[in-house]
Amino acid sequence: MGTPAPAPCAARPGVAASGADTCAVIVAGGSGERFGDPRGKQFVDLCGLPLMSWSIMAFDRAPSVARIVVVCAPDHAAQVEKDVLSRLSLAKPVELAPSGETRQASVRSGLDASPRDLPLVAIHDAARPLIEVEQIEAAVAAVRADEALAGAILAIRSVDTLKLVEGATIVATPDRSFYWAAQTPQVFRRRSLLAAHKAAEREGYQGTDDASLVERLGGRVRVVESTRDNIKITLPEDLALAEATLERRLLT
Ligand code: CTP
Ligand code: MG
């Protein structure tokens, strides 16, 4: 809807904050098949900027984040530089890493490019443009606060009644208070996540998120309650919702 983009460099709380201990890994290497736009959903316009710009700006402003790795297809690297990075006056160093065949392989590539001297990594889907600085900080703070944790993920409580179904037959109605829907960012101690990715690769395990890789090794991961705003753009109709939410934020 052509809303002009805000000046991305207007307010930069926490730039060069001491104690920034986190490398953000933003995965943008998917092909967006369900979304179906030939440009790839990470590049479609959202309030005047390519969609992936919004999550990059949020991590750039987050005080806990020292640097950012953007994972994208090697064929898209020039486009990311020209249409995304060069249009945002980012305060933090940004590096590109090549994506892989699966999301898991893309995260691994980003992890390998993340510096060893930053103890935490925040893995985020570029397809979640509505992430806010406060949510990033809450997930990082949760990991920092408890030595026994391998990680913390943003998640929301299930609001629907859930059914376990075989074929078309309901076999159970589990107590929904135990069920949460996982989002990103998912923040981990770098060494824990790297060990989990190496084990998954060795054992041929494919997870649908990063926490599941850590959980299967017995690592403790907690949830940090998030909001329903932090949607993943998957289908074309998700874009209108994201646009409405961003416009509301830009106006208030
Ligand atoms: N992703 C990635 N590398 C892949 C696959 C996915 O970096 N090989 C990224 C996507 O760019 C996205 C995030 O992982 O930011 C979440 O994945 P998803 O929403 O499934 O995006 P796509 O895989 O692009 O979409 P689809 O599954 O519809 O093809
Ligand atoms: Mg996918």
Side-chain angles (χ1 to χ4, degrees):
M1 268 199 283
T3 305
C9 54
R12 299 200 159 275
V15 164
S18 61
D21 56 0
T22 304
C23 179
V25 173
I26 301 178
V27 287
S31 51
E33 274 177 29
R34 286 168 291 179
F35 191 85
D37 189 290
R39 287 169 291 180
K41 65 183 178 184
Q42 52 278 60
F43 294 106
V44 298
D45 181 274
L46 176 59
C47 294
L49 290 172
L51 187 141
M52 63 190 288
S53 314
W54 294 97
S55 44
I56 296 173
M57 287 191 290
F59 282 90
D60 190 57
R61 291 199 312 271
S64 62
V65 171
R67 57 190 302 134
I68 299 169
V69 174
V70 175
V71 182
C72 68
D75 283 357
H76 286 153
Q79 190 182 354
V80 170
E81 292 281 3
K82 178 172 159 287
D83 296 345
V84 180
L85 300 179
S86 73
R87 291 175 65 189
L88 309 172
S89 357
L90 299 171
K92 300 191 180 152
V94 180
E95 197 179 320
L96 297 187
S99 57
E101 282 290 304
T102 59
R103 182 187 180 281
Q104 190 167 312
S106 292
V107 171
R108 174 65 191 276
S109 168
L111 260 182
D112 288 341
S114 71
R116 280 186 201 178
D117 58 349
L118 292 176
L120 303 184
V121 288
I123 312 299
H124 186 66
D125 293 331
R128 291 187 191 271
L130 297 174
I131 185 64
E132 296 192 274
V133 171
E134 297 70 28
Q135 295 174 308
I136 298 168
E137 294 305 294
V140 170
V143 182
R144 282 180 183 157
D146 186 350
E147 278 292 319
L149 281 182
I153 72 166
L154 289 193
I156 53 172
R157 292 172 195 274
S158 175
V159 289
D160 295 317
T161 296
L162 299 173
K163 299 291 183 190
L164 184 65
V165 176
E166 273 174 23
T169 305
I170 296 170
V171 291
T173 302
D175 179 349
R176 97 173 157 215
S177 66
F178 288 106
Y179 287 84
W180 294 60
Q183 300 179 342
T184 69
Q186 301 198 340
V187 178
F188 302 93
R189 300 188 194 285
R190 183 181 183 276
R191 62 171 190 282
S192 304
L193 187 60
L194 192 55
H197 270 264
K198 285 181 176 169
E201 189 183 11
R202 238 183 358 255
E203 294 152 24
Y205 176 82
Q206 278 291 329
T208 52
D209 74 347
D210 293 286
S212 62
L213 274 51
V214 174
E215 293 156 33
R216 64 189 281 281
L217 293 192
R220 267 189 59 211
V221 183
R222 64 161 284 177
V223 292
V224 170
E225 190 157 11
S226 180
T227 63
R228 297 169 69 80
D229 273 2
N230 184 27
I231 55 166
K232 181 161 73 71
I233 306 297
T234 305
L235 301 168
E237 55 262 39
D238 300 330
L239 197 59
L241 183 58
E243 200 158 48
T245 306
L246 259 183
E247 280 175 358
R248 174 166 46 78
R249 282 185 196 166
L250 294 173
L251 288 173
T252 49

